Every structure is written in C-alpha cells, then in structure tokens.
Amino acid sequence: MPLQVDDLKVYYRTLRGDVRALDGVSFTVADGEIMGVVGESGCGKSTLGKALVRLDNRMKHVGGTVTVDGQTLPIADDRAMNRFRFTSVSIIPQYAMSALNPTRRIGRLVADLLDARGMSYAATRPELIRRLALVGLPETVLDNYPMELSGGMKQRVVLVLSTLRDPALLVADEVTSALDVSNQRAVAQTLVEFRDRGYVRGMLVVTHDISLVYQIADTIMVMYAGRLAEKAPSDAVVTEPLHPYTQLLIGALPEVGARFSERRLTGIPGRPPGLRNPPQGCRFRARCPLAVDKCAEQPPFVEVAENHHVACWKAGS
Amino acid sequence: MRRYFGRKLAIYTLTFVVAVTLNWIIPRFMPGDPVLRMLTRTSVSNPDAIAPMRAYYEDLFGLDVPLWKQYVNYWVELFQGNLGVSVWLFPAPVADVILDAVPYTLALLLPSILLSWWAGNKVGALAARSTWLDNTALPVSYALTATPYMWLGILLAWGLGIVAGVFPVAGGYSFELRPDWSWAFVGSLAQHWFLPFLSLFLVAFGGWAIGMRNLIIYELEADYASYLAALGAPRRLIRRYAFRNALLPQITGLALQLGVLVSGALVTEIVFAYPGLGHLILQAIQNQDFFLLQGAFLFIVIGVLVANFVIDIVYVLVDPRTRTGMQGAT
Amino acid sequence: MTDTEHVAAPGVPAIAEPTVGRRRETLHFALRNKKVVGAVVVILGLLVLGLVAPLFTDHGPNEYVGPPAAPPSADYWFGTTTFGQDVFLQFANGIRSTFVVGALGGGLAGLIGMTVGFVAGYRGGLVDELLNMLTNIVLVLPALAVLIILHAYVGVTSVAMQALFIGLFSWPWVARAVRAQTFSLRSREFVDLARLSGMRPLAVIRREIAPNMSSYLFMTFILLFGGSVLMAATLDFIGLGPTDATSLGLMMNSAVHWSALHLGLWWWFVPPGAAITAIVGALYVMNVGLDEVFNPKLREM
C-alpha cells in the first residue's frame, strides 16, 4: 500500500510556542487511489503534504509514523529522507511556476538532477520525451529556459519531472490554485491519466477547491484545525456528508445556475481556532450547530459506514 | 540585445563627453583671464614651459577664439592624443608621463580586483553554510570593508614593512636598480608590488564576502532550491546552482564598485609612493600641474568606461535571461 | 497555520502608515537587538568624545604644546606629532568634522537620490528615461577623479563644501533602489485611492509611498553616512579637503608626509584610521541589526 499514516503529529516552532499544525492524523491511501485533501486555510493540509516529503526547518516531527510501501519514512531526518524523495515520495509544489532554476535550461536541469542522484540522464531521456509529449510539450522544451515558457507549460514540466521516477506516492500541493480554468482542467486530467498509466500508485491532491477534487479524486478527506474531520469516497462526501463541518462546507458551495436572489451563499460563521493553544475536545465545537456537552471530549476518527470515517459524536446516529 | 548594448554605449559615450566637457569647462569657472591665471601660476615653477603653454592655452581658452571653437579644438587635440605638456616634468608630454605610470596602476588594480572578487565570493559562499566560518569570517569581513584603504595601507607598510622589515615601502622597484628584464629587477618589482596589492585585496575582499554570503542565503531560500531539495537533490547541487545565480548580481556589483576600487588604488599608491597614477596625481596637485591632472582624469574615466563595458559584455554572456530579450538586471 | 488574531476584513487595503503601536513595537525590538545597541554605543561614544574633549583642554589642536614626537602619556593621551601637537585633541576635533561631513554629505546624497528615485519611479515615461540617463552617467563617472579635478580648479575650503561635493556624487545607487521600490508601490491599491481622491503627485509620494519605505530609507541614510565618511577621509588624505580644520584623513596625510611611519610614531596614524573603521563598521553592523528589526521574518529565525 502506497501510504499509511499513523497518528502523525507535526508542529511548527515559533518564538511564542508551538503551533500544532498536525495533531494526530491517521489514514491510508490504497494502490491506485487518488485522495483529495480539503479544508480551510490553516487546517493542516499543506503541512501534511509537506511533512510527507520534506520538513522545513520550522517544522518538527513530534510523533506518529509514515509508512510508504511498508517502509517507515524517516521524516524527521532530512539526510535519510533523501533516499526516498523523488523515488518513493514526490511532490508537485505550490510554487510550481517558479520551481525551475531560471538560469538553467530545462534539459540540463533534469540531467543535473538525475546525475546527482546517481541515475542516468541518457537512459531516462527517451521516457522523459515521451511523457512530455503526453502533456503536450515538444522535445524542444528541453532546450528552453524557464522564462521562455508560459506558466501552464512550466506547470506541466514540473508535473512530468516530479513523476519521472514513478514514485509510489505523489503529493500535489495546490497545483491548480494559480491557473485559469482551462489549464486547471488540463492539469486535473493529466493527474488522473498519470495514475491510470501507473506512473504514480497513490496520490494526495491537497487543495481548497472541493469541486475540483470531486472531479478527479476517488476519496475525499476533510481536515479541520489540524485534525481529520471526515474521509469517504467522493460521492459520499458530497452527497451524504456526515460531519457538520463537511455539511456546512458542501452547503457553502455555489451551484451552477443558482442565482443570488434565489439562494444566498452562506459561509460558515466564525473562524478556526488558533493552533497555539487549541481548545480541548472537538475543535469544531465553537462553530458547530450540533454541539453538545459530550463534544468537550475529542471524538475518535472511526469508520461509521463502509469506507466512511468521521470524527463526530453525532455522526452515524 | 542590440537595444541593451546600444543603450550602454550611448551612456558611456555621453559620460565621456560630459567628462571631457567638465575638463574643459572647469578652468573657466575661475574669475579673470583663465590663460593668464594658469600662466602666472606655473611661471614660478618652470619658466621654459611658458611659451608652449601659452600657445596651447590660447587655442583652448584664449579670449580671441570663439567659445565653440575652443571646445572643438579641445576635442581635436584629444583625438590626436595630445593632452598637453606637463609643467612639472617639462618638456615631457602629458600622454607619455601618464602612459609610464599606467602599467603600475593596472598591475595593482587588475590582480587585486579579480582575486578579491573571486576569493571573497568563495569565502562568502562557504560562510553561508558553515556557522563556524560565518561567525569568524563575517565580522572580519565587516571590519575589512569598513577600513579606509589608505589606513590599511599605512598599517601594512608600518607593520610588515618597517617594523618587520619584510617588504619595502616605497617606490616601484629598488632605487639602485635600472629597469630591465633581469630576475633581480622583476623580483624587486614583485617585492614592491606585494604590500600595496595586499592592502587593496583585503579591503575589497571584505565587501565581496559579505555580499556573497547574503546573496547565497537568499538564493538558498528560493523556490527552485526548495523544489530541488524536495526531489532529493544533494546539497552539493543546490549549492552549485545558488552560487552560480548569486554570482550574477556580484558581476553587476563589480561595475558599481569600480569607482571605489580605483580611488582605493590611488590612495594606496600614495601611501607606498608606488609610481602609478595615484602617485602621479598627488605630485600633479602639489606642483599645480593642471595638464597632468586633466590628462590623468581623462585616463581614469576612459579606463572606468572600458571596464564597465567589458563587464557588461561578460554579464550578457553569463546571464541567459538577457539573451532572450528579458531584462536580467540593469 | 493561521494564528488568527489579526484578520483583516476583506476588501480593506493593508494599513499604509505605521500606527503608534507599530512604531513602539519597532523601537522595542530595536532596543533589544544586540547589533543595533552595540553599534549605537560605539557611535555615540565617539561622538561624545569628539564633542566633549575639546572643551576640557585649553589649547588648540594645531598648537605646538608638547614635546615633539612623544609617545602616549598621562599628559598627552595619544602622544604628540613631530611638531609637538596634541594628537588626542586633533583626534577629537577630527571626529567632529567626520560626523559633520557624514551627516551633511550623506543627507544631501540621500535627498537627491530619493527625489530622483521617487520622481522617476512615480512618473515613468520620458521623465524616467531622462533621469535614468542622468543616474547612469553620474554612476559611471569615477567620483574621486571628478572631485580631484573640481578641487584643483575650484578648491574645497570648508567642510560644508566637501560635503556638498560628496553628496553630489554618492546618490545614484539610492536613486536606482528607490525607483524600483516606487515602481512596485505605485501600483498598490492605496496609492490608487489617493490619486483618485485628487491628491497631487508630490503629496502622494510624501504621504502614501514614502512612509511605507521609511525603514528602508533610514537604512539607506546610514549606508550613505558611512560612505560619506570614507570618501571624505580619502579626499582629506590626498590633500583635497579643507586644510584649515582638522580631520582624521588630514591627520593620516600629515603622518605619512612627515615620515611618522619611518619614525615609528604609531600613535599618530593608528587612532584616526581606527576611529573611521569603528564608525563605519558600527554603521554597517547597525544596518544589519536594523534589517532584522524591520523584517520580522528574520527575527523569528
């Protein structure tokens, strides 16, 4: 199985104390599964994505394990992780448009990377060209400098490069946020195609755009304030959400054809709790219309229906 | 790219015109008859000089020649390589006196600029990744770059030259030797060259080290560095890219620092009585030899312009962004 | 990870001018920054020395008061010159003129550079092109060479004049940097708001753009101050500075001229250069410290 996460805790160090960005997260991603990870800003989804590949120096691994293909990833050890990066676990970063060295031709960049990692560029080149063609890029792109390419083209190059070694797990971090709609669609379709062709075995698509994720993901996982709220097949999440937060989230989505005069968009009142001193118990409690006293105790993330996990006392009842 | 070079050439040409015009115009700021003034000043030092000087001056400042013609005359003389006759070293032409001194100044400037740039960049890059080096090299670099050039020259001259007696502190070569290509002479040249060179090298080094360290830290936080790290690239590769990218603004910085480096060389020469342009200028000032001063000024300006142009060319060759029509850095 | 304490309501542009609270917070961090505090101590210390020491002595810096070429002693803390002048007094007076030249020259250069930069960045177009050309020309002209020529004919008789010349040639890099920042700020919403409300361009620059760059401008002034001090010392050393007043560069000039090196009169030439190094070095360090204070990102690391 490409990914198994057990009670992962990753905090951010700050001068005024630790921010508990990921506070005990457990889930699995199966072979060939595309999982969308959604939630508000600050819910921890980006931290999750980054923690699987590369902790930066502000983050610290406080507890829990990450297992890829049966091997525990040494996510706290930067050096040890290098072995797994790019080969087992890869990422398409949020800043994909500026992710390429502006003073190096694309082909040379790839060659430098592969050579530095002990892989043969010459041997990989044919496959590289094939994949570039798959995303609609000509072979000549390898001779270009990044600034000679459009934003969408750079995004596609990064897509191909990140998946070049057929990683077991791919994390796509907000890959469509900076794109226009038609580019978004192209990227989304490419992600699915890569999975279908077996270039990646498991995928985490981190985004705040539920509608996008609904189109391409098999499973959707909703996060709130550093914890998991709900995880279920996409259809189930969108048509029968069981967690109050998910329900409000889906309810807040605009419908095509709906007009403001007929149906007002409702947001969710209030804001997520600060994560330096998170509240005890369920973190959605303050904003939840269904909250009761029992919610002062953190509900466990349990399977209440087939493949449907929720962390709420009121779900499944 | 044609636009880029076109603009640069326009600026350099304009600057040269401004410099020449300055040279020509400033004497006219003085009240009274400029020709008379200059002649009376120089008559005290060297009576033989008066006749040729009068002829030269009349052409350029004489009140019977219309202004625009004076200006044109000045340019004509310039293009014929005639910078006048030195008053102090009469009858030597200014151009010859200057050309005798230029090799010494170049011998100081070129090695010290290039070596300090290279060494400073290397150490700065190392300091960016080694905390130990950062804590030692960085304060030293700040102290060095804050040091006035002539003071370091004085300290070195006194410490290594006089107190320790290891190096000579005056002249370009030993006074009893005659210039020729013997080992003794070349050795003497090198001996006299070393302290002024070291002085220039150290002060400039500090500035480059600090700059490079900061640039590398900035580059290492760039998106491309993060992405490469996320793809498991070894630190070596990321550092190599960061270094290459950080060199680009350092090349531009070299052009910006030329004025400072040149003035540093001038004062260092004065400290060591090293027979280059700086020493010459000091003598010219003390002896009120205006022709020599003007000639030296023009030479320095030309040198700086040429150096700027060379750096511009190097930059275009090195930064791919300029070649594809996008502005790399102006 | 949002510690959501300051959530701006959507649609309201970011606060343009620093509030009283922000200023106090900046001061708080500044006073706690070791680099800033250390640098200020050094600079103030030398300044006080320069201001106070001459008041306590009854003789002038250039008077022949003591035994010639005497090493430091209780009477003459920095010894005497070959003529018997009090080196310490010369030193203190020299520091004063150094500070004056630094402030005036740096201030003038800053004024010119900022004006040129703001106008070029704000107006754009032909004005920008012309100012750019001017900036580039002054940038390329080697300042010392021009000053040499100017001095030879016009002469520099006072510290103020020296500061004027220095200020006239040190501004190009400031103009460039200010221009770049103005460009980016010009297109921000609060500037548009100001212009729409009919504010005249000069007022827009003064009240909307400049305050946002205030920290940067302050740091620029510090660098200009340091540069000015170095250039003045260089000019004085060549003999192109005011010769009636004492200055640190002039002290070094005299020392070299009168063979202090060969005679081993180190107390004559070591202190002046040391003082300049200390002042300029402190200014640079202060700049680094202020960068940390003004950029919270650097603070947290």
Side-chain angles (χ1 to χ4, degrees):
Chain A
M1 128 153 33
L3 180 66
Q4 180 172 334
V5 175
D6 281 310
D7 198 33
L8 183 61
K9 292 195 172 82
V10 171
Y11 296 174
Y12 279 94
R13 290 185 259 251
T14 70
L15 283 183
R16 286 180 255 171
D18 285 342
V19 173
R20 302 161 76 146
L22 271 185
D23 217 354
V25 166
S26 306
F27 63 95
T28 59
V29 173
D31 242 348
E33 179 177 356
I34 296 183
M35 177 183 292
V37 183
V38 298
E40 283 174 81
S41 296
C43 68
K45 58 190 194 299
S46 252
T47 310
L48 175 62
K50 284 190 235 172
L52 294 176
V53 179
R54 181 180 178 243
L55 295 182
D56 66 40
N57 18 16
R58 292 168 301 168
M59 304 202 251
K60 66 179 178 189
H61 175 222
V62 176
T65 56
V66 174
T67 316
V68 167
D69 274 349
Q71 272 198 301
T72 311
L73 290 189
I75 55 175
D77 185 346
D78 194 48
R79 275 244 148 87
M81 265 301 280
N82 244 11
R83 208 159 54 89
F84 297 93
R85 292 182 183 128
F86 195 39
T87 48
S88 305
V89 159
S90 197
I91 187 167
I92 303 177
Q94 200 163 355
Y95 47 81
M97 305 244 208
S98 47
L100 301 168
N101 186 357
T103 58
R104 206 98 173 116
R105 292 185 208 267
I106 312 272
R108 296 284 300 274
L109 180 85
V110 177
D112 286 340
L113 176 65
L114 291 177
D115 286 335
R117 296 219 53 187
M119 308 165 192
S120 163
Y121 175 62
T124 322
R125 205 182 129 100
E127 179 62 24
L128 174 64
I129 296 175
R130 249 195 307 267
R131 298 203 184 180
L132 285 173
L134 200 66
V135 295
L137 291 173
E139 181 179 338
T140 53
V141 102
L142 290 178
D143 290 326
N144 285 125
Y145 287 100
M147 75 207 144
E148 293 172 314
L149 305 177
S150 72
M153 291 168 85
K154 281 188 279 199
Q155 181 90 332
R156 280 177 275 163
V157 168
V158 168
L159 231 141
V160 167
L161 182 56
S162 290
T163 53
L164 195 56
R165 303 292 302 187
D166 295 344
L169 177 72
L170 176 70
V171 175
D173 192 358
E174 304 275 10
V175 291
T176 53
S177 311
L179 300 176
D180 60 80
V181 189
S182 50
N183 268 323
Q184 281 186 7
R185 183 197 162 107
V187 167
Q189 284 179 330
T190 312
L191 286 176
V192 174
E193 182 162 11
F194 274 28
R195 186 274 311 266
D196 291 340
R197 286 175 176 254
Y199 295 160
V200 296
R201 297 214 324 275
M203 204 185 297
L204 277 181
V205 179
V206 175
T207 178
H208 53 257
D209 190 348
I210 301 184
S211 43
L212 165 88
V213 144
Y214 175 62
Q215 306 285 331
I216 62 171
D218 305 311
T219 319
I220 296 184
M221 189 163 77
V222 180
M223 289 187 67
Y224 185 79
R227 295 220 170 112
L228 299 181
E230 184 162 3
K231 177 173 96 103
S234 315
D235 282 323
V237 166
V238 172
T239 52
E240 300 165 6
L242 292 179
H243 192 287
Y245 176 61
T246 321
Q247 290 165 349
L248 289 171
L249 214 52
I250 304 288
L253 286 177
E255 268 175 37
V256 174
R259 305 175 64 165
F260 182 70
S261 50
E262 297 159 17
R263 198 163 87 97
R264 298 187 75 147
L265 271 182
T266 47
I268 309 176
R271 9 183 168 101
L275 293 179
R276 212 163 260 136
N277 276 318
Q280 292 281 68
C282 176
R283 292 184 177 178
F284 188 58
R285 189 171 172 219
R287 298 162 89 183
C288 184
L290 304 180
V292 291
D293 287 336
K294 184 141 203 249
C295 300
E297 188 188 321
Q298 169 69 22
F301 191 64
V302 290
E303 188 164 4
V304 298
E306 170 151 1
N307 269 330
H308 198 140
H309 295 69
V310 193
C312 180
W313 296 119
K314 296 250 133 186
S317 55
Chain B
M1 183 158 49
R2 203 170 299 162
R3 256 199 76 201
Y4 173 74
F5 277 120
R7 277 189 65 208
K8 292 282 177 179
L9 277 176
I11 290 175
Y12 296 150
T13 313
L14 214 57
T15 309
F16 185 61
V17 168
V18 166
V20 170
T21 309
L22 259 181
N23 233 356
W24 175 80
I25 251 188
I26 288 181
R28 320 195 101 263
F29 279 153
M30 308 198 297
D33 180 353
V35 184
L36 204 57
R37 212 152 198 263
M38 281 191 250
L39 287 182
T40 44
R41 259 200 240 192
T42 56
S43 61
V44 184
S45 51
N46 199 330
D48 287 335
I50 296 188
M53 278 202 19
R54 161 159 268 141
Y56 185 77
Y57 268 124
E58 288 291 336
D59 242 3
L60 301 179
F61 305 112
L63 295 176
D64 48 341
V65 181
L67 216 68
W68 66 267
K69 193 143 201 311
Q70 290 178 26
Y71 188 54
V72 171
N73 284 338
Y74 194 62
W75 276 99
V76 169
E77 297 284 332
L78 200 62
F79 277 115
Q80 289 177 343
N82 182 7
L83 291 168
V85 176
S86 163
V87 170
W88 165 53
L89 291 177
F90 185 82
V94 164
D96 289 352
V97 175
I98 291 182
L99 283 177
D100 278 340
V102 163
Y104 286 100
T105 303
L106 282 182
L108 277 188
L109 270 180
L110 287 178
S112 65
I113 291 180
L114 293 174
L115 283 175
S116 69
W117 189 83
W118 180 82
N121 281 335
K122 282 274 168 185
V123 171
L126 285 173
R129 61 169 157 134
S130 150
T131 329
W132 173 83
L133 200 62
D134 205 29
N135 290 333
T136 50
L138 209 61
V140 169
S141 297
Y142 270 106
L144 281 177
T145 191
T147 309
Y149 278 96
M150 67 275 192
W151 191 58
L152 189 62
I154 290 176
L155 287 181
L156 285 177
W158 177 61
L160 289 179
I162 293 176
V163 172
V166 180
F167 290 98
V169 295
Y173 49 87
S174 205
F175 290 119
E176 53 264 17
L177 295 179
R178 306 261 70 190
D180 59 20
W181 288 116
S182 68
W183 276 119
F185 184 68
V186 171
S188 182
L189 269 182
Q191 254 199 326
H192 283 81
W193 166 87
F194 185 71
L195 279 188
F197 159 77
L198 186 66
S199 178
L200 283 174
F201 172 84
L202 286 175
V203 177
F205 168 87
W208 297 124
I210 294 172
M212 191 55 161
R213 172 208 179 255
N214 291 336
L215 282 170
I216 293 248
I217 290 181
Y218 177 75
E219 289 292 320
L220 286 177
E221 288 170 3
D223 285 339
Y224 71 83
S226 294
Y227 182 49
L228 280 174
L231 293 185
R235 303 281 304 159
R236 250 182 312 114
L237 179 64
I238 302 177
R239 277 199 300 260
R240 183 153 57 108
Y241 278 2
F243 187 76
R244 288 212 194 138
N245 285 359
L247 276 185
L248 297 175
Q250 290 286 71
I251 295 178
T252 315
L254 196 53
L256 292 173
Q257 283 285 86
L258 277 176
V260 173
L261 293 166
V262 164
S263 55
L266 296 184
V267 288
T268 307
E269 283 179 16
I270 290 176
V271 169
F272 288 95
Y274 195 71
L277 277 178
H279 184 71
L280 203 62
I281 286 177
L282 185 68
Q283 311 275 53
I285 291 174
Q286 286 171 346
N287 287 293
Q288 308 230 338
D289 188 348
F290 297 113
F291 282 140
L292 199 52
L293 269 182
Q294 287 182 328
F297 170 65
L298 280 181
F299 246 88
I300 293 177
V301 168
I302 292 175
V304 167
L305 289 178
V306 167
N308 260 299
F309 192 62
V310 168
I311 293 177
D312 288 334
I313 294 178
V314 168
Y315 190 85
V316 166
L317 290 177
V318 163
D319 185 353
R321 292 173 286 189
T322 49
R323 273 177 278 162
T324 56
M326 304 278 178
Q327 294 234 301
T330 305
Chain C
M1 85 50 269
T2 47
D3 201 344
T4 49
E5 287 155 354
H6 308 283
V7 175
V12 174
I15 299 175
E17 288 157 66
T19 58
V20 176
R22 272 254 299 268
R23 280 212 192 100
R24 211 177 286 147
E25 184 193 330
T26 310
L27 196 62
H28 163 95
F29 273 110
L31 289 176
R32 262 164 197 59
N33 188 302
K34 280 189 286 190
K35 297 186 176 95
V36 173
V37 171
V40 168
V41 163
V42 167
I43 293 176
L44 280 183
L46 285 172
L47 180 63
V48 163
L49 185 75
L51 289 174
V52 163
L55 298 175
F56 282 93
T57 41
D58 49 0
H59 52 262
N62 289 325
E63 288 175 21
Y64 306 140
V65 285
S73 60
D75 286 332
Y76 301 106
W77 292 356
F78 280 4
T80 62
T81 68
T82 48
F83 303 112
Q85 297 156 321
D86 185 348
V87 173
F88 182 70
L89 206 52
Q90 287 188 335
F91 178 74
N93 277 297
I95 288 187
R96 252 200 305 192
S97 70
T98 300
F99 271 96
V100 169
V101 135
L104 286 182
L108 180 65
L111 201 60
I112 300 178
M114 287 172 203
T115 311
V116 170
F118 276 134
V119 171
Y122 190 74
R123 284 312 207 82
L126 187 62
V127 172
D128 182 29
E129 280 292 327
L130 288 176
L131 286 177
N132 248 359
M133 191 126 295
L134 176 69
T135 306
N136 280 322
I137 291 178
V138 178
L139 185 66
V140 173
L141 275 179
L144 188 69
V146 177
L147 289 170
I148 289 175
I149 290 292
L150 274 177
H151 169 89
Y153 290 105
V154 181
V156 175
T157 46
S158 68
V159 173
M161 228 179 153
Q162 187 182 49
L164 174 70
F165 284 159
I166 291 177
L168 283 178
F169 285 96
S170 313
W171 57 266
W173 66 269
V174 177
R176 264 205 196 165
V178 167
R179 171 180 174 269
Q181 294 240 24
T182 308
F183 260 143
S184 69
L185 279 179
R186 177 173 71 159
S187 52
R188 295 269 288 277
E189 300 94 22
F190 60 89
V191 174
D192 284 335
L193 273 176
R195 282 163 61 189
L196 281 175
S197 70
M199 218 188 268
R200 292 176 62 240
L202 204 62
V204 174
I205 292 179
R206 210 167 29 91
R207 283 165 51 183
E208 303 289 340
I209 297 185
N212 267 286
M213 297 174 51
S214 55
S215 55
Y216 179 76
L217 295 177
F218 185 61
M219 284 168 49
T220 301
F221 173 69
I222 293 180
L223 287 177
L224 285 172
F225 191 106
S228 200
V229 166
L230 281 176
M231 184 160 269
T234 307
L235 287 171
D236 292 335
F237 180 72
I238 304 184
L240 295 185
T243 42
D244 44 354
T246 348
S247 67
L248 298 175
L250 200 57
M251 282 176 73
M252 287 193 273
N253 179 337
S254 309
V256 171
H257 190 63
W258 297 107
S259 315
L261 288 174
H262 294 274
L263 296 175
L265 308 179
W266 57 269
W267 50 88
W268 196 1
F269 54 80
V270 169
I276 296 178
T277 309
I279 294 176
V280 176
L283 286 171
Y284 288 166
V285 168
M286 176 153 69
N287 227 348
V288 174
L290 282 177
D291 209 6
E292 290 170 9
V293 168
F294 289 135
N295 282 336
K297 245 191 348 174
L298 293 171
R299 249 185 265 155
E300 293 242 329
M301 289 300 156

